Amino acid sequence: LELRPRSACSLPTTLHFLRLQYVMSKITKTENEWREQLSEVEYKVLREKDTEPPGSGEYDKFKPSQGYFVCKGCGNPLYSAAAKFNSGCGWPAYDKCFNGGVATHTDKSYGMERIEILCAKCDGHLGHVFVGEGMTPTNERHCVNSVSVKYIDQPVPAELTESKVT
């Protein structure tokens, strides 16, 4: 598994280095610990890279005016509510992520090549990012499983900034 840190991880600020240190301190648990913490569906998606059926997730059509989304496995901040948009794909979609929150991996499963997105802190499977569709100004669509994230109805912490993942 080759994880690539996001390009924004090179920003030379003290605050950024503190945030990077927090995000990059990996969470390691045994498979039994993950199974105890997560529901069966959450475990299948986050740990075994399964996918929830399109249109079935609680956050697909959910569009809050504020707040943010964190990894269901470890609480790592991933996406702001402002980054969420309705792509019509059947899964929650975001056009950017919090710097250092998401890692990528080339996924060559099912006879195709895609960019898998994972939580940078616990390596939990989030979904895939699609580039070049022209749906948003960032030209990215993060197609995320609802069971991989949890909504936090609070203001986004001031130290979190967003950018593209690719």
Side-chain angles (χ1 to χ4, degrees):
L1 180 66
E2 176 188 325
L3 296 179
R4 292 183 287 147
R6 297 175 18 68
S7 59
C9 287
S10 60
L11 297 173
T13 66
T14 303
L15 182 58
H16 180 76
F17 287 125
L18 291 173
R19 174 76 185 131
L20 181 61
Q21 181 181 5
Y22 167 74
V23 171
M24 299 314 281
S25 57
K26 290 282 191 181
I27 291 180
T28 53
K29 294 184 180 187
T30 66
E31 291 309 305
N32 283 339
E33 289 172 323
W34 283 119
R35 284 183 191 279
E36 288 174 13
Q37 176 187 330
L38 302 170
S39 72
E40 183 178 342
V41 173
E42 292 165 353
Y43 181 84
K44 284 185 176 295
V45 172
L46 282 163
R47 308 315 307 167
E48 296 180 343
K49 303 175 189 273
D50 204 349
T51 301
E52 64 192 4
S56 67
E58 72 175 299
Y59 298 129
D60 178 29
K61 303 287 186 204
F62 178 66
K63 180 63 174 116
S65 59
Q66 67 167 9
Y68 59 104
F69 296 83
V70 300
C71 175
K72 184 70 87 54
C74 71
N76 186 35
L78 302 169
Y79 301 102
S80 73
K84 191 170 186 314
F85 70 101
N86 183 7
S87 69
C89 69
W91 291 273
Y94 308 85
D95 70 341
K96 56 189 164 283
C97 57
F98 291 129
N99 292 323
V102 174
T104 63
H105 167 69
T106 302
D107 176 2
K108 295 183 180 181
S109 64
Y110 303 107
M112 62 181 118
E113 188 170 305
R114 301 176 291 174
I115 303 170
E116 179 185 12
I117 47 178
L118 306 128
C119 172
K121 191 163 184 170
C122 73
D123 294 333
H125 173 74
L126 303 172
H128 293 84
V129 63
F130 300 93
V131 180
E133 298 175 322
M135 293 179 145
T136 67
T138 64
N139 213 14
E140 288 188 351
R141 174 174 57 97
H142 296 229
C143 189
V144 177
N145 291 283
S146 284
V147 298
S148 296
V149 297
K150 178 182 175 186
Y151 173 65
I152 305 297
D153 188 11
Q154 295 178 7
V156 173
E159 71 271 12
L160 296 178
T161 58
E162 296 174 293
S163 66
K164 296 170 42 168
V165 76
T166 59

